[in-house]
Amino acid sequence: MDLTAGTGLVLEGGGMKGVFTAGVLDYFMEKSLYFPYIVGVSAGACQAVSYLSRQKGRNRTVNIGYIRDPRYLSYRNLLIHRSIFGMDFMFDEIPNRLVSFDYDTFNMARERLIIGTTECFSGAPVYFEKGKCDILRVLRASSSLPFVSRVVEIDGQKLLDGGVSDPIPIRKSIADGNEKNVIILTKHEGYRRGPFRARWLARLVYPGYKGLIRTMVQRPEFYNETIDLINVLQKEGKAFVIRPCREVHVKRLERNPEKLEELYRKGYQEAERIYGNLVDWLAR
């Protein structure tokens, strides 16, 4: 009996906080636990591709091993390339030459992977599916943070970070038919997002993208409503939530490898701690 049948795996973004998710997914790989449907945005989507290529430890190597490399994350990138992350380095040099990505295993994986992005004119989420898109190009779009990344164009659409319009894509998973969902969050229990205070900057940087600005302003309320929805689903037995046990002292653009390694270990240890309960929940 397949315990994961009809169950989705939902992955929040969070920049470098995503190493928590990397730890959880590495433990899942050790246990050969794979879900038939995965949906993620931004850092969550990036962690998902190495999970589906069955490359345990790859996310750890990429996200922690290269964090001090200025080609990966630096203000030099922002000045030269208008993106604080080195997108060509991350989505070309690393997967194709430095830490090889197993395209064959990824492409042959039976699991569905949905990646969320944000369309700039409307501010609405746009989703792409594995096998029907250029996966690295879509990851680049989903990971392009507003203000510190360039807009990515795919099929004539202007796209940015998927976490802007759908930070925790649980509604997408439910709409796609998953009655039960395992949700990996990168913030601790009780976290609430505060109001957006950079509307003036958004208007200055994105004068032609009124939908994007509107979504940015509404994002805190939508995020908090999504957490409320997840809490309800959890009480109803329809969601199993994995999150850091306490507040995470890792910044979205964290460059301290020791802090990142500690958060990765916390993700792995939390997955190990809850694994028995998760298996019992899946069997219900």
Side-chain angles (χ1 to χ4, degrees), residues 141-209:
S142 187
S143 303
S144 292
L145 304 175
F147 305 121
V148 293
S149 298
R150 299 175 69 175
V151 171
V152 177
E153 184 170 339
I154 299 177
D155 299 331
Q157 299 179 101
K158 307 289 187 178
L159 305 171
L160 279 174
D161 175 26
V164 175
S165 57
D166 197 5
I168 310 170
I170 177 63
R171 294 176 181 84
K172 173 61 175 171
S173 184
I174 293 172
D176 284 347
N178 297 299
E179 295 183 0
K180 295 174 66 175
N181 286 278
V182 174
I183 306 169
I184 303 180
L185 303 178
T186 53
K187 283 91 171 176
H188 61 284
E189 186 172 7
Y191 173 84
R192 306 292 283 186
R193 187 172 287 279
F196 181 72
R197 302 187 185 280
R199 186 185 304 208
W200 65 272
L201 181 60
R203 287 173 173 166
L204 180 66
V205 176
Y206 301 113
Y209 297 144

Side-chain angles (χ1 to χ4, degrees), residues 94-135:
I94 287 179
N96 294 320
R97 284 172 281 281
L98 299 177
V99 189
S100 295
F101 177 61
D102 190 341
Y103 290 95
D104 289 340
T105 299
F106 175 80
N107 289 326
M108 288 188 297
R110 292 177 298 175
E111 296 84 7
R112 290 182 68 190
L113 171 61
I114 310 297
I115 298 173
T117 65
T118 299
E119 203 281 319
C120 295
F121 288 108
S122 66
V126 176
Y127 305 98
F128 295 84
E129 184 165 356
K130 166 182 170 285
K132 302 177 182 179
C133 65
D134 178 343
I135 198 70

Side-chain angles (χ1 to χ4, degrees), residues 27 241 243 245 267-278:
Y27 187 80
V241 180
R243 53 163 49 109
C245 292
Y268 182 93
Q269 291 166 357
E270 182 64 11
E272 184 177 37
R273 185 185 72 82
I274 58 83
Y275 187 74
N277 292 335
L278 173 58

Side-chain angles (χ1 to χ4, degrees), residues 4-113:
T4 62
T7 303
L9 177 63
V10 179
L11 306 176
E12 183 181 14
M16 298 314 300
K17 291 181 175 72
V19 297
F20 176 85
T21 302
V24 175
L25 295 181
D26 273 359
Y27 187 80
F28 283 3
M29 280 189 265
E30 279 190 13
K31 295 294 186 180
S32 296
L33 179 64
Y34 294 92
F35 293 82
Y37 176 101
I38 301 107
V39 59
V41 296
S42 197
C46 290
Q47 309 302 334
V49 295
S50 292
Y51 171 60
L52 290 188
S53 67
R54 274 64 171 171
Q55 291 178 277
K56 179 179 177 291
R58 184 177 182 276
N59 284 324
R60 183 184 190 183
T61 299
V62 171
N63 293 312
I64 302 176
Y66 283 91
I67 194 61
R68 287 282 175 84
D69 191 318
R71 294 173 296 175
Y72 184 91
L73 172 61
S74 67
Y75 287 104
R76 186 189 73 173
N77 287 333
L78 189 59
L79 290 172
I80 297 174
H81 304 294
R82 290 190 291 151
S83 175
I84 199 163
F85 286 103
M87 292 303 196
D88 289 338
F89 183 68
M90 291 173 65
F91 298 111
D92 181 14
E93 185 74 13
I94 287 179
N96 294 320
R97 284 172 281 281
L98 299 177
V99 189
S100 295
F101 177 61
D102 190 341
Y103 290 95
D104 289 340
T105 299
F106 175 80
N107 289 326
M108 288 188 297
R110 292 177 298 175
E111 296 84 7
R112 290 182 68 190
L113 171 61

